[in-house]
Amino acid sequence: MEGREVNSFAMNSKEHVLVTGGAGFIGSHLCETLLEQGRSVTILDNLDPFYDVAIKEQNLARLQSLGKDLRMVRGDIRDPDKVREAMEGVSGVIHLAALAGVRPSLERPTEYWSVNLVGTQTLLDALKGRPEVPFVFGSSSSIYGGNEKVPFHEEDPVDEPVSPYAATKKAGELCCRVFHHLYGNPVSCLRFFTVYGPRQRPEMAIHKFTRLIDEGKKIPMFGDGESSRDYTFVSDIVKGVVASLDRRVDPGDPSSGFRIYNLGGSATTTLKGLIDRIASALGKEALIEQLPMQPGDVLRTFADVSRAEKELGFQAEVPIDQGIPLFVDWYRENKGRTQA
Ligand SMILES: NC(=O)c1ccc[n+]([C@@H]2O[C@H](COP(=O)([O-])OP(=O)(O)OC[C@H]3O[C@@H](n4cnc5c(N)ncnc54)[C@H](O)[C@@H]3O)[C@@H](O)[C@H]2O)c1
């Protein structure tokens, strides 16, 4: 057996969950679900100004208005004192706080390494001596870099990331693996494939394209429009995250203590197809400015989710043709309050 004894838990024993990055896009949806399930939630988030802080404040206000058991610790995941404070009494940790996004990581690689790696290790350090607490890490499909074999499987090589962001996520997974090996906590690393839905980060393609088309402005389209992505609606991601928190580690299979899961829609959409769908949902024309491919971008992502299906019961339920109109409806209702 590798590492220390593997811990096994009953479903739903994680009644008090720490969510780092809970004020952000995915985190705020996740917290809402956890609170609605009757769990206590502590958020650790520093409301980083990567995009408009008012959006994160709105997310928090919305969570507070649910009137459930929510505690907010405003602080940095690299600050051991804040992390200790946030960890008090929790029975599960879901770590989503990060500097996200591929392109900005080319401009600020050192900050990305600092937050995404030192922050992750600081959280893990604070879990030492609490082997019963499971740790769920928000990783990324960007880890697969320029891999040509599709769909991407968790056992495929991921040694050639093409952006600092992807490299920090790969390094984060390694920190998690080492921590599990040494201390036995159940760990799940979740490779999210481009997540979208209400409250999506304003700089992400779907949100940005929707805004530009709506305002009659040109869309910068990098490449010939044939690059493709596996898009995942945020409610599907949340289901996968919660299932991985609650998953039972099999005491007869020590390797199950550490698991990597792809969470994706398991379908691909070209960039051109995405723009067409957004324009059609808005009932407006897309004006396209074609530009060269950007360094750091990958040509395609496509998730093999068979492991998550088998072990987490994960299945994406919102296909892109439903998800884009849902996003556009949300955009219309919130226009003006969600701009970066
Ligand atoms: N959105 C996607 O498509 C996607 C895809 C793959 C992976 N991910 C990962 O999922 C996670 C959530 O992504 P998101 O899209 O919700 O991003 P987000 O930027 O909306 O959320 C991240 C949150 O982390 C917080 N944060 C940043 N630095 C921090 C620090 N030093 N200390 C404490 N809090 C800090 C931010 O304030 C923010 O609220 C990230 O780890 C991201 O890398 C997202």
Side-chain angles (χ1 to χ4, degrees), residues 20-28 44-51 56 59 75-78 95-101 115-116 137-142 165 169 190-196 199-201 204:
T20 73
F25 161 46
I26 300 172
S28 63
L44 174 61
D45 198 304
N46 68 349
L47 305 196
D48 179 90
F50 172 60
Y51 60 85
K56 299 176 188 183
N59 292 344
D76 196 302
I77 52 169
R78 292 165 293 179
H95 173 35
L96 301 181
L99 291 182
V115 172
N116 296 0
F137 173 59
S139 185
S140 166
S141 62
S142 62
Y165 170 68
K169 289 294 179 183
L190 309 178
R191 294 179 179 165
F192 302 152
F193 283 67
T194 318
V195 189
Y196 73 105
R199 314 204 285 278
Q200 191 195 39
R201 299 197 323 258
M204 289 187 75

